[in-house]
Amino acid sequence: MSILPGRDWWTGLPPAAGAAVMATGIISVGLHLTGQEAASLAALVVAGALWLVLAADFTSRLLGDRGRFRAEADTPAALTAVAATTVIGARLSQQGWQTAAAELLVVAALLWPGLLFNVLRHWRRRMPGAAFLGCVATQGLSLLAASLADAGHQDPLARAALAAFCLGLLLYLAALFRFDLREVVGGAGDHWVAGGALSISALAGSKLTASPVWTGTAHTTLRTVTLALLALSLVWYVVLLAAELRHPRPRYDIRRWATVFPLGMTATACLSVAGPAGVAWLRPLGEVLLWIAVGAWLLTFAALVAAHLTAGSGATGR
């Protein structure tokens, strides 16, 4: 399915379209960390515009098409609504717009329990990579809460962020036991979330590690866990990339945006972890990975446009 299928296209978007917001938003965060302000703001505008479109579609389904809303709310992709909101909020917090970021945290926190409960209730064996979105959404809450806590020196919010961080790790383990490993060589794109969920966990961990709330043993433990999560996400990166090269899947699928998101998230995690963890070489690695993510975003967007044009010409031919 294309993101741009025609007139009234925004009413036909599947929940998986939220991954496009997540991908664009996290690339904006990474570009900001590398000092590429113009490109970062441009990406933020694109992500924000698409988030508004998806929010309007979400609201219209909630109010006018309850049957479709309930059916889609049971799928793991529904949690992209929470994750996308928190990524946009984290970028706004970087920009110094703490009030807007806090409002998005409230929105995400209100959506999160109901959607997570519905998704977990419908989990099954041999799930696709979207199963890890429970972890991603929860770690997104941790990331945004930790960012706001750091900006406003709010210790209770920092403790809430730590609680979400720990819950996110438990959700990752639960999803890992249900993940169908065959997706690594045959998935349509969302299998990359297996690594991206660890990357956003490491990013949230870096924010917690940098917080003055945690000292002594707590700080050391957070640093160790964060580095371990980042190392595991880099292992997933290599494995998934090798599988892509060995088993190419060039056809466009909307779930390919769930590939771009982990690419950008891994890069951003490296950039963010480098300082608080005191591992300087992670920064140049993150810069290289970030430009790979930007390239993947451009390729995915080009594939989207090409798929839309092909579908349009096919319809005209008939």
Side-chain angles (χ1 to χ4, degrees):
M1 182 181 292
S2 168
I3 291 184
L4 305 170
R7 187 180 178 183
D8 295 333
W9 58 271
W10 64 276
T11 60
L13 292 173
V21 182
M22 296 159 59
T24 311
I26 200 59
I27 285 175
S28 176
V29 172
L31 289 170
H32 175 79
L33 290 174
T34 58
Q36 305 292 327
E37 286 302 316
S40 176
L41 288 173
L44 175 60
V45 169
V46 172
L50 186 53
W51 183 87
L52 289 173
V53 169
L54 292 173
D57 186 29
F58 184 95
T59 303
S60 69
R61 278 180 279 140
L62 177 62
L63 298 178
D65 191 351
R66 291 293 183 88
R68 179 187 167 194
F69 179 84
R70 284 193 294 268
E72 292 183 344
D74 293 340
T75 65
L79 287 165
T80 61
V82 177
T85 301
T86 59
V87 169
I88 295 291
R91 179 62 186 91
L92 295 181
S93 180
Q94 278 184 324
Q95 200 65 26
W97 300 337
Q98 307 305 338
T99 300
E103 290 170 351
L104 289 182
L105 177 60
V106 171
V107 171
L110 290 174
L111 291 174
W112 174 75
L115 290 175
L116 183 63
F117 175 77
N118 281 338
V119 168
L120 294 181
R121 200 161 50 93
H122 290 85
W123 263 11
R124 61 184 190 279
R125 292 176 60 84
R126 294 188 175 181
M127 295 278 288
F132 293 99
L133 286 170
C135 168
V136 171
T138 306
Q139 295 294 17
L141 289 172
S142 176
L143 168 64
L144 182 49
S147 299
L148 288 167
D150 183 54
H153 306 290
Q154 302 177 45
D155 291 2
L157 197 54
R159 293 187 175 88
L162 179 61
F165 177 75
C166 294
L167 178 58
L169 295 182
L170 292 176
L171 288 169
Y172 184 88
L173 290 174
L176 185 62
F177 284 114
R178 289 168 175 78
F179 178 51
D180 187 351
L181 288 174
R182 294 174 297 182
E183 290 285 304
V184 173
V185 296
D190 58 354
H191 56 292
W192 275 81
V193 185
L198 290 174
S199 297
I200 193 172
S201 299
L203 180 58
S206 73
K207 292 293 184 182
L208 290 168
T209 303
S211 172
V213 174
W214 316 111
T215 59
T217 303
H219 177 271
T220 301
T221 301
L222 277 170
R223 179 183 181 276
T224 301
V225 170
T226 297
L227 286 172
L229 291 169
L230 183 58
L232 289 172
S233 74
L234 290 170
V235 171
W236 265 117
Y237 192 111
V238 172
V239 170
L240 292 167
L241 180 59
E244 292 281 354
L245 296 175
R246 180 67 178 82
H247 304 277
R249 284 149 272 184
R251 187 176 68 85
Y252 174 74
D253 188 293
I254 195 169
R255 287 167 290 185
R256 269 305 178 192
W257 290 106
T259 298
V260 181
F261 169 71
L263 293 175
M265 182 57 73
T266 304
T268 303
C270 288
L271 292 168
S272 185
V273 170
V279 185
W281 59 265
L282 285 173
R283 184 168 181 82
L285 174 61
E287 291 173 351
V288 172
L289 295 180
L290 178 62
W291 290 113
I292 292 174
V294 171
W297 191 99
L298 293 172
L299 285 173
T300 304
F301 182 75
L304 181 157
V305 173
H308 175 57
L309 293 176
T310 300
S313 63
T316 302
R318 290 193 296 272

